[in-house]
Amino acid sequence: MASIIRREGKNGITYQAKVRKGGRMLSKSFTRKTDAAEWANQIETDISRGQLASPKAMKMSVGELIDYHIAEEMDDLKTGKDRIRHLNWWRGQIGEVKLADVSPGDLTDSVRKLKKGRSPSTVNRYVGSLSPVFSTAVRLEWLAANPVSKVKRLKEPRGRIRFLSEDRKGKGGQVVEGERTRLLRACSESRSPVLYDIVVLALSTGMRQGEIMNLTWKDVDLKHGHVTLRDTKNSEVRGVPVTGLALVQLKKRAKVRRIDTNLVFPDRAGDAPAKFRDAWLAALERAEIEDFRFHDLRHSAASYLAMSGATLAEIAEILGHKTLAMVKRYSHLSTEHISGVISKLDDRMFGGGVDDKAI
């Protein structure tokens, strides 16, 4: 049977809901009487359905569950550093709350705080990091359901697509250099001993900056033109083919590689990846390229693949995406490329003499 008690304290008026069943007393305080009544009704419903939280959920806090999940469920703490940072934020928000007392409404209130100064995609990553924690509790039968599953995700804007422009023919037939040509020349002229090779490798393979900088010689197969990536964003080992200029540059680097480190792109000490940010920014400035980040080299690689006729599935496999959702942004480039091919076919077959605007 449920009861609601009105209390007055230093922090104002609160309403304590109490539910007694089978010798157990459950209680929770609210600032609104309607919230207290709703909670009490839900508890009574859970009791009647046999879904009442377990004794473990009554005693364990969210912070303790997070600690358990990190220690027992996360295989690689290094690659999960972003998730750990997200979970530490949640620990600061609801770490003291008992599992049995966590509701979708409480989590939604925390999401409102997350939205301040963060993009929708970032907020969704924070929520996504918390969900497996409660899934652990469900799997161990400490909770009947995952409260995060009822938290509405924010609508994310269409992903940014910024890729380097290519050379084109200007008036009179002269070649106008595109951004890619200008950037590669600026990188080749850089004082940095690694910048040019890094940029070529990124453009040729779509590898992320971290994947390139953590690459070791033991994972580079120069004979077959193949590298194995072990330190990936999704923690899965991925193989990437390396051909053409990128392979040539790796072979050149292999001939003069240092014997005191296994890193392909080491710093002067040889015990950490080289730093090249200043050289990268200087190259962009010399090449007169604006609004471009290193990660956009990955977008450039994907865009060139799409315009070369690669399918979305092929692009996803090369870039290491588990689903096609992330690469669908490039589908229009593939369509534009096909339209260009069809246009050339029409010109060859019919001479291009039909003006469709006149129809």
Side-chain angles (χ1 to χ4, degrees), residues 219-280:
D219 292 324
V220 177
D221 184 348
L222 295 175
K223 181 179 180 180
H224 299 96
H226 184 273
V227 299
T228 301
L229 302 180
R230 304 186 188 280
D231 188 12
T232 63
K233 185 176 181 180
N234 57 22
S235 304
E236 291 187 352
V237 177
R238 183 170 97 250
V240 178
V242 181
T243 61
L245 180 59
L247 182 58
V248 169
Q249 293 305 119
L250 281 180
K251 287 182 177 180
K252 289 181 179 179
R253 182 166 290 275
K255 291 180 179 180
V256 295
R257 60 167 293 192
R258 292 166 51 174
I259 61 174
D260 61 339
T261 178
N262 197 36
L263 288 169
V264 176
F265 302 106
D267 61 6
R268 290 185 178 181
D271 54 2
K275 293 179 173 59
F276 65 94
R277 177 174 173 77
D278 291 343
W280 163 254

Side-chain angles (χ1 to χ4, degrees), residues 187 190-198 253 264-266 268 274-276 279:
C187 290
S190 173
R191 294 181 179 179
S192 169
V194 300
L195 181 61
Y196 180 72
D197 290 354
I198 290 172
R253 182 166 290 275
V264 176
F265 302 106
R268 290 185 178 181
K275 293 179 173 59
F276 65 94

